[in-house]
Amino acid sequence: MYVAVKGGEKAIRNAHKLMARDRRGDTSIPSLSLKQISEQLYLSVSRVMAEGSLYDAELAALGIKQSRGDLIEAAFLMRAYRTTLPRFGYSKPIDTAKMLIRRRISATYKDLPGGQLLGPTFDYTQRLLDFKLAADGEAPAPKTQEFEKEEVVPRVTDLLNDEGLIEEDEPRAPDAPVGDITREPLTFPADRDLRLQNLARGDEGFLLALGYSTQRGFGRTHPFAGEIRLGEVEVDFFMEELGFEVPLGTMTVTECQMINQFKGSASAPPQFTRGYGLVPGQGERKVMAMALVDRSLRAEELGEEIDSPTQDQEFVLSHSDNIQATGFVEHLKLPHYVDFQSELELIRKVRKEWQEKREAAEQELVAEAAQ
Amino acid sequence: MTEHVETQGISGEHYNFAYLDEQTKRMIRRAILKGIAIPGYQVPFAAREMPMPYGWGTGGVQVTAAVIGKDDCLKMIDQGSDDTTNAVALRNFFVETTGVDTTTKTKDASIIQTRHRIPEDTLTKDQVLVYQVPIPEPLRFLEPRETETRKMHALEEYGLMHVKLYEDIAKFGHIATAYAYPVMVQDRYVMDPSPTPKFDNPKMDQMERSSCLEQAAKSASMPSRHTPRW
């Protein structure tokens, strides 16, 4: 007989104290400040802001500190905080063409208007452990120079499109209602705005694996990285009371436009189609994977055959959220004494019947042999 | 006997009473009312992230948060016990966010949230029973797609379930399901009271009380009061 564990209250309290002690580690070493985390671990902060669906580097840093660097746990802390915040409304769509660009590359056009800007990147570094960094050596400062801010740096997909070779943005009324997966339950089939929202907060690892699977032939989409850009954009909010837009501030975003070959179908001419990725903060791997998955999820709309997991909306969108996934996988740790008890009874009964049948069959064989 | 614990509480300055904002509570109550109106039907609602993991009772917590008031007295059970770790954690959550009285006595409680067991005492019509249900869709293990299962419910197409039960009988001589045992509500919707053990299912029938089964991301579904029969 299995019985429920009693006295959990005290154990829980003590376990949390123990966890707090382990989190702090050796007290002779200074505690991390939130500024240290948000300044020096910005890519972790970015991931937590994206998957936690809340643009606040300081809170993300607190989440990372509180979770001992477990980024999914940190994103979970952000989500549980975010959900309690009052909702004032929706900002105007951000315009990434007006971004103050820190990095912009295209794998499709070498000389594109506005130029390519390599920016801060791990690309082309030698992946050698830097022992100078271990010894706390300061890196030499990068070169700086005066520059004129370009007012508008058009997105690659808006350029060179005289021939209609690249599909246009979906026509959408500027005041069309915005879908919101945090307010309405997700139902299928989901429109692209909802899908993109889901992917933007989806797990980076999950999207990376799905994107990779499309490259290996499971729903192949023939992608080119049309453009990846990183920088700051202004966020505007329309104030009903005032009757005009006010800027709320700037935010860092990373955007990716994939350009995908498309042979055409009954409903669409042969042209390049697009996959789109955008996340708050700096998350290049995430936006690229997101753009691949976004394009794959358009299979139905483009009349492509659906035969791979990444093309399957329900499969992708129902499993992309790592907060849900981790909760449900880890809920297996919870006591299941009652279910297990009823399973035990059932299996004992089924085994007994199996044994009896077998013994009866054996006796029959013996009897037959004796005859 | 009820217990009242004075806490510093996380309510007040930073969080609303019972954590959720009033708009969200209203949205959930609307889903509950719809569930009561269509017994056994799964009413989807947009679950909020809660400060405990999804799959650990967050749906039940949201339902309780949507109906709880200052004068309520809460009982929290997990695995038929008030003292299991998760029951303790969820009860503390409500003590901290609402300051309500709690109890371990069924008859003293106005709201009972449970995972698994249904109390032995007969409840009165003034008591609400909230079930934590990890997977409310009885057809989920037969058909993983929500789009398909919704269609099957709409068309009252429960052949798959009947075949499954029949195969159990053909193979084992009886239905080999010990919990998550499907029930038919008012001859219309098949519902899954998982993970309530099968032997507790009859207690759900013809209840004086209002029962609300939930699952965090998906739905509230209810065998409403005075359900004629399963």
PDB file of all heavy atoms in Angstrom, chain A residues 105-121:
ATOM      1  N   ILE A 105      23.505  42.142 -42.196  1.00  0.00           N
ATOM      2  CA  ILE A 105      24.184  41.362 -43.223  1.00  0.00           C
ATOM      3  C   ILE A 105      23.149  40.742 -44.142  1.00  0.00           C
ATOM      4  O   ILE A 105      22.016  40.515 -43.747  1.00  0.00           O
ATOM      5  CB  ILE A 105      25.068  40.238 -42.617  1.00  0.00           C
ATOM      6  CG1 ILE A 105      24.244  39.359 -41.663  1.00  0.00           C
ATOM      7  CG2 ILE A 105      26.278  40.809 -41.913  1.00  0.00           C
ATOM      8  CD1 ILE A 105      24.891  38.038 -41.361  1.00  0.00           C
ATOM      9  N   SER A 106      23.575  40.505 -45.382  1.00  0.00           N
ATOM     10  CA  SER A 106      22.726  39.812 -46.331  1.00  0.00           C
ATOM     11  C   SER A 106      23.538  38.746 -47.023  1.00  0.00           C
ATOM     12  O   SER A 106      24.675  38.999 -47.433  1.00  0.00           O
ATOM     13  CB  SER A 106      22.171  40.801 -47.361  1.00  0.00           C
ATOM     14  OG  SER A 106      21.569  40.075 -48.420  1.00  0.00           O
ATOM     15  N   ALA A 107      22.983  37.568 -47.134  1.00  0.00           N
ATOM     16  CA  ALA A 107      23.677  36.491 -47.844  1.00  0.00           C
ATOM     17  C   ALA A 107      23.220  36.426 -49.293  1.00  0.00           C
ATOM     18  O   ALA A 107      23.653  35.553 -50.040  1.00  0.00           O
ATOM     19  CB  ALA A 107      23.413  35.160 -47.139  1.00  0.00           C
ATOM     20  N   THR A 108      22.324  37.352 -49.694  1.00  0.00           N
ATOM     21  CA  THR A 108      21.820  37.298 -51.064  1.00  0.00           C
ATOM     22  C   THR A 108      22.316  38.454 -51.934  1.00  0.00           C
ATOM     23  O   THR A 108      22.500  38.290 -53.126  1.00  0.00           O
ATOM     24  CB  THR A 108      20.281  37.288 -51.090  1.00  0.00           C
ATOM     25  OG1 THR A 108      19.804  38.360 -50.266  1.00  0.00           O
ATOM     26  CG2 THR A 108      19.716  35.981 -50.578  1.00  0.00           C
ATOM     27  N   TYR A 109      22.514  39.636 -51.372  1.00  0.00           N
ATOM     28  CA  TYR A 109      23.000  40.785 -52.150  1.00  0.00           C
ATOM     29  C   TYR A 109      24.266  41.320 -51.508  1.00  0.00           C
ATOM     30  O   TYR A 109      24.246  41.720 -50.345  1.00  0.00           O
ATOM     31  CB  TYR A 109      21.952  41.906 -52.170  1.00  0.00           C
ATOM     32  CG  TYR A 109      20.623  41.488 -52.708  1.00  0.00           C
ATOM     33  CD1 TYR A 109      19.549  41.319 -51.850  1.00  0.00           C
ATOM     34  CD2 TYR A 109      20.436  41.263 -54.072  1.00  0.00           C
ATOM     35  CE1 TYR A 109      18.314  40.941 -52.329  1.00  0.00           C
ATOM     36  CE2 TYR A 109      19.206  40.878 -54.556  1.00  0.00           C
ATOM     37  CZ  TYR A 109      18.147  40.719 -53.686  1.00  0.00           C
ATOM     38  OH  TYR A 109      16.929  40.338 -54.151  1.00  0.00           O
ATOM     39  N   LYS A 110      25.339  41.367 -52.302  1.00  0.00           N
ATOM     40  CA  LYS A 110      26.603  41.829 -51.741  1.00  0.00           C
ATOM     41  C   LYS A 110      26.567  43.336 -51.510  1.00  0.00           C
ATOM     42  O   LYS A 110      26.905  43.822 -50.429  1.00  0.00           O
ATOM     43  CB  LYS A 110      27.739  41.469 -52.695  1.00  0.00           C
ATOM     44  CG  LYS A 110      29.103  41.721 -52.110  1.00  0.00           C
ATOM     45  CD  LYS A 110      30.178  41.010 -52.916  1.00  0.00           C
ATOM     46  CE  LYS A 110      31.558  41.403 -52.453  1.00  0.00           C
ATOM     47  NZ  LYS A 110      32.327  42.043 -53.529  1.00  0.00           N
ATOM     48  N   ASP A 111      26.154  44.057 -52.552  1.00  0.00           N
ATOM     49  CA  ASP A 111      26.161  45.517 -52.446  1.00  0.00           C
ATOM     50  C   ASP A 111      24.738  46.010 -52.307  1.00  0.00           C
ATOM     51  O   ASP A 111      24.098  46.363 -53.296  1.00  0.00           O
ATOM     52  CB  ASP A 111      26.785  46.148 -53.694  1.00  0.00           C
ATOM     53  CG  ASP A 111      28.193  45.640 -53.891  1.00  0.00           C
ATOM     54  OD1 ASP A 111      28.967  45.717 -52.924  1.00  0.00           O
ATOM     55  OD2 ASP A 111      28.502  45.138 -54.991  1.00  0.00           O
ATOM     56  N   LEU A 112      24.256  46.019 -51.114  1.00  0.00           N
ATOM     57  CA  LEU A 112      22.877  46.461 -50.999  1.00  0.00           C
ATOM     58  C   LEU A 112      22.816  47.879 -50.441  1.00  0.00           C
ATOM     59  O   LEU A 112      23.689  48.265 -49.662  1.00  0.00           O
ATOM     60  CB  LEU A 112      22.033  45.484 -50.184  1.00  0.00           C
ATOM     61  CG  LEU A 112      22.169  45.386 -48.678  1.00  0.00           C
ATOM     62  CD1 LEU A 112      21.067  44.504 -48.127  1.00  0.00           C
ATOM     63  CD2 LEU A 112      23.503  44.797 -48.310  1.00  0.00           C
ATOM     64  N   PRO A 113      21.821  48.651 -50.886  1.00  0.00           N
ATOM     65  CA  PRO A 113      21.705  50.022 -50.404  1.00  0.00           C
ATOM     66  C   PRO A 113      21.683  50.048 -48.875  1.00  0.00           C
ATOM     67  O   PRO A 113      21.009  49.238 -48.262  1.00  0.00           O
ATOM     68  CB  PRO A 113      20.363  50.484 -50.973  1.00  0.00           C
ATOM     69  CG  PRO A 113      20.109  49.602 -52.145  1.00  0.00           C
ATOM     70  CD  PRO A 113      20.760  48.293 -51.829  1.00  0.00           C
ATOM     71  N   GLY A 114      22.452  50.976 -48.331  1.00  0.00           N
ATOM     72  CA  GLY A 114      22.561  51.032 -46.872  1.00  0.00           C
ATOM     73  C   GLY A 114      23.776  50.270 -46.378  1.00  0.00           C
ATOM     74  O   GLY A 114      24.253  50.503 -45.280  1.00  0.00           O
ATOM     75  N   GLY A 115      24.277  49.376 -47.211  1.00  0.00           N
ATOM     76  CA  GLY A 115      25.533  48.695 -46.900  1.00  0.00           C
ATOM     77  C   GLY A 115      25.393  47.538 -45.924  1.00  0.00           C
ATOM     78  O   GLY A 115      24.375  47.373 -45.270  1.00  0.00           O
ATOM     79  N   GLN A 116      26.440  46.731 -45.907  1.00  0.00           N
ATOM     80  CA  GLN A 116      26.492  45.637 -44.939  1.00  0.00           C
ATOM     81  C   GLN A 116      27.331  46.094 -43.756  1.00  0.00           C
ATOM     82  O   GLN A 116      28.318  46.795 -43.916  1.00  0.00           O
ATOM     83  CB  GLN A 116      27.136  44.398 -45.569  1.00  0.00           C
ATOM     84  CG  GLN A 116      26.387  43.914 -46.791  1.00  0.00           C
ATOM     85  CD  GLN A 116      26.270  42.393 -46.830  1.00  0.00           C
ATOM     86  OE1 GLN A 116      26.275  41.721 -45.810  1.00  0.00           O
ATOM     87  NE2 GLN A 116      26.137  41.847 -48.034  1.00  0.00           N
ATOM     88  N   LEU A 117      26.934  45.668 -42.586  1.00  0.00           N
ATOM     89  CA  LEU A 117      27.623  46.077 -41.366  1.00  0.00           C
ATOM     90  C   LEU A 117      27.790  44.839 -40.509  1.00  0.00           C
ATOM     91  O   LEU A 117      26.806  44.249 -40.077  1.00  0.00           O
ATOM     92  CB  LEU A 117      26.731  47.108 -40.659  1.00  0.00           C
ATOM     93  CG  LEU A 117      27.333  48.006 -39.610  1.00  0.00           C
ATOM     94  CD1 LEU A 117      28.429  48.868 -40.214  1.00  0.00           C
ATOM     95  CD2 LEU A 117      26.232  48.881 -39.026  1.00  0.00           C
ATOM     96  N   LEU A 118      29.048  44.429 -40.320  1.00  0.00           N
ATOM     97  CA  LEU A 118      29.259  43.152 -39.633  1.00  0.00           C
ATOM     98  C   LEU A 118      28.818  43.213 -38.172  1.00  0.00           C
ATOM     99  O   LEU A 118      28.183  42.297 -37.665  1.00  0.00           O
ATOM    100  CB  LEU A 118      30.727  42.741 -39.751  1.00  0.00           C
ATOM    101  CG  LEU A 118      31.015  41.247 -39.605  1.00  0.00           C
ATOM    102  CD1 LEU A 118      30.101  40.413 -40.481  1.00  0.00           C
ATOM    103  CD2 LEU A 118      32.472  40.976 -39.942  1.00  0.00           C
ATOM    104  N   GLY A 119      29.167  44.321 -37.497  1.00  0.00           N
ATOM    105  CA  GLY A 119      28.681  44.520 -36.122  1.00  0.00           C
ATOM    106  C   GLY A 119      29.234  43.510 -35.135  1.00  0.00           C
ATOM    107  O   GLY A 119      30.137  42.735 -35.447  1.00  0.00           O
ATOM    108  N   PRO A 120      28.657  43.503 -33.924  1.00  0.00           N
ATOM    109  CA  PRO A 120      29.165  42.596 -32.885  1.00  0.00           C
ATOM    110  C   PRO A 120      28.705  41.171 -33.160  1.00  0.00           C
ATOM    111  O   PRO A 120      27.514  40.897 -33.148  1.00  0.00           O
ATOM    112  CB  PRO A 120      28.524  43.138 -31.599  1.00  0.00           C
ATOM    113  CG  PRO A 120      27.281  43.829 -32.052  1.00  0.00           C
ATOM    114  CD  PRO A 120      27.527  44.319 -33.442  1.00  0.00           C
ATOM    115  N   THR A 121      29.635  40.285 -33.399  1.00  0.00           N
ATOM    116  CA  THR A 121      29.245  38.910 -33.763  1.00  0.00           C
ATOM    117  C   THR A 121      30.329  37.913 -33.382  1.00  0.00           C
ATOM    118  O   THR A 121      31.511  38.248 -33.320  1.00  0.00           O
ATOM    119  CB  THR A 121      28.966  38.811 -35.281  1.00  0.00           C
ATOM    120  OG1 THR A 121      28.673  37.446 -35.602  1.00  0.00           O
ATOM    121  CG2 THR A 121      30.160  39.244 -36.112  1.00  0.00           C
TER     122      THR A 121
END
